[in-house]
Amino acid sequence: MKTSVRVPVGASVAALLLAAGAVGCSGGTEESPEMTPAAAVAKAAKNTEEIDTIRYRLTGRAPEEGRVKAEAQMQLKPELAMSMKMTALDQGAGASAEIRLVDKAMYIGGGAEAAKEMDGKSWMKFDLSALGAEGEELDQLGSASQADKNPAAESTFLTGAEDVEKVGTETVDGVKTTHYKGTVTVADLEKSLADEDKATREKRQKSLEQYEKMGVDKLTMDLWIDGDDHTKQFRMRGDADKGPLDMTFTFLGFNEPVKVSAPPAKDTMDLAEMMKESQQG
């Protein structure tokens, strides 16, 4: 067996996609006329606490990777589980991958292209508990901590903007929404952590660390909120050290059953086992 392998195409986007996200979607009409933009955004942020599962579609541009698209489903409670199919559109043929997180292990599948590099196996397993956060292989994914972040944390950042304003009403995927926008700096978000409860502070801190690593110091935020005060669509933009960040999440459902299974063992290369064999050798 080869002791040196290349992580399947698109894996460097995995941490970014796991780091990003927002809340669920629903139908309805726009918010009450007396609600201010700041109040509407705050109410949608509060509603993230009621979300156990989400399904969403992602399109946009990631630093280094260029244009990406993905569809995902994620369970936030009682234990984190997720599956995502993604494609790096500017990376040529075969630049697709599937990511699964289940039972505290991350699996990255690259199909036939990955199998060429991994003795016929199309999946690589990263056992987060076995490898630990200090492993070099985990650094390629951003860090192990990115896998256990609640994606709803990203959408609540707009509550920290001082310039939140209402853009207008728009229909997104057949749902009437009200569009809001604003800007926030990572430094201001860091300062605001002291005013949050412990759970919210921990969620936001993980996200902010990711942006700091990318070199993003300011985010332009857009939120499309439906008549039930849930975010239907979410967009974030910023300038990173290695290129622009511009991600739009459209939410397809929430609090629906989510089932994620580990890939067949016969098709999976276990990175922890491979490292152990390498050390023994």
Side-chain angles (χ1 to χ4, degrees), residues 14 18 53-54 60 72 85 91 93 103 105 108 126 134 160 163-164 169 192 223 252 265-266 277:
L18 290 170
T53 68
I54 56 176
K85 293 183 179 180
Q91 301 299 314
D103 296 331
I108 299 180
F126 297 81
E134 70 276 9
D163 60 350
V164 179
T169 57
S192 71
L223 229 61
L252 310 175
K266 65 180 180 63
E277 291 176 6

Side-chain angles (χ1 to χ4, degrees), residues 27-74:
T29 56
E30 61 181 291
E31 85 287 352
S32 303
E34 68 273 10
M35 188 177 293
T36 66
V41 169
K43 190 169 185 179
K46 178 67 175 176
N47 284 340
T48 65
E49 299 173 8
E50 302 173 1
I51 294 172
D52 295 334
T53 68
I54 56 176
R55 290 191 305 110
Y56 60 88
R57 178 175 65 244
L58 169 116
T59 59
R61 182 174 294 274
E64 291 191 277
E65 298 291 340
R67 294 175 302 138
V68 297
K69 68 175 183 179
E71 286 202 16
Q73 59 174 344
M74 178 173 284

Side-chain angles (χ1 to χ4, degrees), residues 11-12 14-16 133 137-146 210 213:
S12 58
L16 173 63
E137 289 76 10
L138 293 182
D139 289 339
Q140 295 181 44
L141 297 176
S143 81
S145 65
Q146 298 308 316
Q210 179 67 19
K213 288 179 181 178

